């Protein structure tokens, strides 16, 4: 299916440069789609995008020409069995649980374009150079490689390897990479999909995997709060997505429904900001 053409935009790149940053958060990050739909409805075309982990993946589809509506339709139509095809369980590998072969095949088959140079909107994808312990910003070359690197959750998903270099999930160092966009836009929007978790009624102590994943997100939250102190964001949004675990991609419809009140507020605030900027 060809990407649905995006509408004519009221906020052009030559007028107000709008930067959109999409954060990490596993299945919670699927609610980014609803915010991208709101951009289309307001006919606001971003001049640049950035993302970490699931935010990087969805930003790549959008920057490649898919509308928010088409992204929703494709995501909702995917059944649990479709997600299972991406899961290359590799318990014997030692350093990770899920191999990247299925994920890379999915990206190769479904991305509208395969290279940064072909995107209709510039994109910055965040990952970590594991051995050198530093942030890497992908902005050219293979989108599949960059997304693989950005979503390679430590210990869970196979790292992206090139020579002696290993790249892992960008969320560990920059879960919401709005800072990389600040010099390149006039109006900066950051969408934080970290969500909330609360203990279960019968088992308040987290299991092993829940312990690891939630601790990872606690660290991401601390990083984000410090970043917000040092970089001005014109519109920061944290939608109310509660008790959705990182791997709960089968709950997409519920995640999208949960953020409807946030979307209404987002439309109003963004419309007001762009009106002022114009």
């Amino acid at each position: 299916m060809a990407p649905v053409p995006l509408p004519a935009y009221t906020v052009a790149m030559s007028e107000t440069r709008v930067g959109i940053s999409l954060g990490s958060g596993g299945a919670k990050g699927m609610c980014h789609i609803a915010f991208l739909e709101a951009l289309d409805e307001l006919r606001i075309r971003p001049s640049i995008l950035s993302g970490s982990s699931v935010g990087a993946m969805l930003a790549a589809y959008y920057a490649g020409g898919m509308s928010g509506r088409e992204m929703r339709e494709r995501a909702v139509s995917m059944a649990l069995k479709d997600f299972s095809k991406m899961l290359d369980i590799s318990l014997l590998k030692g350093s990770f649980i899920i191999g990247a072969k299925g994920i890379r095949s999915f990206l190769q088959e479904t991305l509208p374009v395969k290279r940064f140079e072909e995107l209709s909107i510039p994109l910055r994808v965040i990952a970590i150079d594991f051995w050198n312990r530093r942030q890497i910003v992908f902005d050219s070359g293979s989108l599949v490689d960059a997304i693989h690197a950005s979503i390679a959750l430590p210990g869970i998903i196979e790292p992206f390897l090139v020579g002696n270099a290993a790249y892992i999930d960008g969320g560990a160092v920059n879960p919401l990479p709005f800072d990389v966009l600040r010099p390149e836009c006039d109006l900066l929007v950051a969408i934080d999909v970290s969500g909330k978790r609360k203990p279960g009624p019968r088992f308040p102590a987290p299991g092993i995997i829940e312990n690891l994943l939630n601790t990872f997100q606690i660290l991401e939250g601390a990083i984000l709060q410090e970043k917000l102190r040092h970089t001005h964001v014109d519109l920061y949004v944290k939608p109310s997505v509660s008790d959705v675990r990182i791997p709960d991609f089968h709950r997409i419809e519920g995640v999208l429904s949960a953020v409807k009140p946030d979307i209404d507020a987002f439309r109003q605030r963004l419309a007001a900001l762009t009106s002022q900027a114009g």
Side-chain angles (χ1 to χ4, degrees), residues 13-233:
M13 291 175 64
S14 60
E15 297 172 357
T16 302
R17 299 176 303 163
V18 180
I20 307 289
S21 185
L22 306 183
S24 60
K28 296 184 294 293
M30 299 308 287
C31 74
H32 282 312
I33 293 172
F35 289 92
L36 296 174
E37 285 182 301
L39 289 178
D40 292 344
E41 290 164 10
L42 291 170
R43 295 192 288 180
I44 295 173
R45 179 182 178 83
S47 61
I48 192 166
L49 297 161
S50 70
S52 281
S53 199
V54 68
M57 181 176 70
L58 295 176
Y61 282 95
Y62 192 72
M66 280 194 185
S67 68
R69 179 179 179 181
E70 184 184 12
M71 291 169 68
R72 175 188 287 264
E73 290 172 351
R74 290 194 175 197
V76 169
S77 68
M78 290 182 68
L80 187 58
K81 65 178 181 180
D82 297 313
F83 288 110
S84 66
K85 291 178 183 177
M86 290 186 277
L87 302 182
D88 175 19
I89 306 300
S90 306
L91 294 175
L92 299 179
K93 297 290 185 180
S95 63
F96 54 86
I97 297 174
I98 299 173
K101 182 178 178 181
I103 295 170
R104 291 180 64 90
S105 294
F106 174 81
L107 293 171
Q108 192 66 40
E109 292 170 6
T110 59
L111 281 168
V113 299
K114 306 304 185 292
R115 298 185 64 79
F116 281 88
E117 293 78 8
E118 300 173 292
L119 295 171
S120 59
I121 302 172
L123 172 64
R124 308 288 183 261
V125 169
I126 307 302
I128 299 170
D129 180 339
F130 181 82
W131 295 114
N132 289 311
R133 301 181 180 182
R134 63 190 179 97
Q135 171 177 286
I136 297 293
V137 181
F138 288 93
D139 60 5
S140 63
S142 167
L143 281 168
V144 173
D145 289 349
I147 296 168
H148 173 190
S150 191
I151 67 174
L153 193 64
I156 305 296
I157 296 176
E158 179 181 0
F160 172 56
L161 304 176
V162 178
N164 292 325
Y167 298 97
I168 62 169
D169 196 314
V173 69
N174 202 343
L176 183 54
F178 51 79
D179 52 318
V180 303
L181 300 185
R182 184 71 277 180
E184 300 187 70
C185 63
D186 305 307
L187 180 61
L188 180 55
V189 179
I191 303 174
D192 173 6
V193 295
S194 55
K196 297 179 181 179
R197 291 284 282 141
K198 55 180 181 288
R202 297 179 57 194
F203 303 102
I208 294 175
I209 299 298
E210 177 74 7
N211 201 330
L212 291 172
L213 295 180
N214 208 41
T215 298
F216 185 73
Q217 293 199 303
I218 290 169
L219 295 173
E220 288 183 343
I223 293 169
L224 176 55
Q225 290 307 309
E226 186 63 21
K227 277 163 43 68
L228 285 167
R229 291 177 55 197
H230 298 284
T231 303
H232 173 66
V233 175

